[in-house]
Amino acid sequence: MRLKEKTHRKFVEFFEKISTMYQGKDFELAYSDIQRETGAASVTLKRAIQALAEDGVIEVQPGRNSRYARFKYLLAAQDIDENSTDALSSESQGSENLDKEETPHSGRVFESMTEDVGELLQLVDHLKRRVRNQEMAIALLQDRLAEIEDKIRKR
């Protein structure tokens, strides 16, 4: 019941992206949103979630109803540990290269601005997904309306 490498990678990247958007906290998603975002069939979605849970990539709990689930991306903690180690080593190297004119305060301002930009990028990405979902819903409604109009014209 293993997944293809490409499918596995697609789901890992999806959960990683969503986890970053929620800053590593638990999040609740509709299965339909995951399907829409990954382009996977419902059977593949179920297999992928089960496989990722078995591999220790995500933790899955029941959501508010059967169409939702609560997820926790478990690899985020490992990524944070690795990134913090890398950041500490780069900070120590970077501090040696600081000009005498630069103050410690300017570094904090830069970090704060970087965090703000990161949050804004996540919010924009979230809004883009919402717009895309709404556009898809509108297109579906237009198709259904066209079908109804065709049935009415045939009568």
Side-chain angles (χ1 to χ4, degrees):
M1 186 146 138
R2 297 297 331 150
L3 295 171
K4 292 181 180 176
E5 181 61 33
K6 183 178 176 185
T7 306
H8 185 271
R9 193 173 345 109
K10 183 189 334 180
F11 277 94
V12 169
E13 289 171 358
F14 169 77
F15 281 108
E16 182 177 13
K17 182 174 83 170
I18 298 297
S19 175
T20 334
M21 192 171 73
Y22 285 95
Q23 299 172 344
K25 298 177 184 163
D26 292 5
F27 50 92
E28 186 175 63
L29 289 175
Y31 290 118
S32 59
D33 289 341
I34 301 171
Q35 276 185 275
R36 200 173 298 118
E37 200 64 29
T38 60
S42 58
V43 174
T44 306
L45 172 71
K46 290 175 186 174
R47 286 182 50 218
I49 290 174
Q50 184 179 4
L52 292 176
E54 289 172 0
D55 292 346
V57 175
I58 59 172
E59 190 176 281
V60 186
Q61 298 172 348
R64 62 182 115 160
N65 60 39
S66 62
R67 291 179 286 229
Y68 287 82
R70 291 201 61 76
F71 297 95
K72 181 174 180 111
Y73 182 66
L74 301 175
L75 295 182
Q78 294 170 0
D79 293 344
I80 290 170
D81 292 343
E82 291 171 4
N83 289 342
S84 62
T85 305
D86 293 342
L88 288 174
S89 63
S90 65
E91 281 179 19
S92 63
Q93 291 173 354
S95 62
E96 296 168 1
N97 298 333
L98 283 177
D99 293 336
K100 293 179 182 177
E101 298 172 10
E102 195 170 346
T103 63
H105 177 69
S106 64
R108 280 183 263 144
V109 170
F110 180 73
E111 288 175 11
S112 174
M113 288 174 52
T114 305
E115 289 175 11
D116 291 344
V117 169
E119 289 176 27
L120 286 174
L121 288 172
Q122 290 174 354
L123 290 171
V124 167
D125 186 46
H126 179 71
L127 288 173
K128 282 181 183 177
R129 274 190 279 113
R130 286 184 58 191
V131 166
R132 187 170 139 215
N133 290 344
Q134 290 173 351
E135 287 173 344
M136 290 173 65
I138 290 170
L140 179 65
L141 290 171
Q142 288 174 333
D143 288 345
R144 288 184 181 168
L145 181 62
E147 289 174 6
I148 291 171
E149 287 174 346
D150 289 343
K151 287 181 181 178
I152 290 173
R153 286 188 187 135
K154 288 180 182 177
R155 288 185 185 177

